[in-house]
């Protein structure tokens, strides 16, 4: 494997884990699985609007990096020389 592909795969693992963490940090909207298992109890602890907007921006940024990384790995795999 080339050094670029190894770097991209490491970046993919890191962004995947970070994306999972940022998604799990979001405030629940209610009415779903989180309420069934007691997640509704934490609804009294509201995060500020600024913190939620910043978390949204970080999540979107990480998702874009994750998507581009997958796309570039796919291109490298598709156009890799046979052998």
């Amino acid at each position: 494997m080339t050094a670029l592909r190894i770097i991209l795969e490491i970046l993919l693992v890191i962004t995947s884990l970070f994306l999972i963490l940022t998604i799990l940090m979001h405030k629940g909207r209610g009415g779903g699985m989180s309420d069934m298992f007691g997640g509704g109890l934490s609804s009294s602890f509201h995060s500020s609007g600024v913190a939620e907007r910043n978390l949204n921006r970080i999540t979107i940024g990480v998702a874009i990096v994750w998507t581009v990384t997958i796309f570039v790995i796919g291109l490298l795999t598709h156009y890799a020389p046979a052998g």
Side-chain angles (χ1 to χ4, degrees):
M1 287 204 300
T2 65
L4 176 63
R5 182 164 173 150
I6 292 171
I7 291 170
L8 287 172
E9 288 181 359
I10 291 171
L11 180 64
L12 181 64
V13 170
I14 292 170
T15 55
S16 296
L17 293 173
F18 198 64
L19 189 60
I20 291 169
L21 289 176
T22 56
I23 289 172
L24 288 175
M25 287 173 55
H26 279 279
K27 181 174 59 172
R29 302 287 183 219
M33 292 291 285
S34 63
D35 282 345
M36 183 188 304
F37 295 111
L41 297 176
S42 65
S43 64
S44 61
F45 302 110
H46 295 292
S47 63
S48 68
V50 174
E52 190 70 23
R53 281 194 301 262
N54 287 336
L55 186 58
N56 286 340
R57 290 179 185 138
I58 291 169
T59 304
I60 290 170
V62 172
I64 290 171
V65 171
W66 183 79
T67 304
V68 169
T69 303
I70 290 176
F71 183 72
V72 172
I73 289 174
L75 286 176
L76 287 175
T77 302
H78 186 271
Y79 292 110

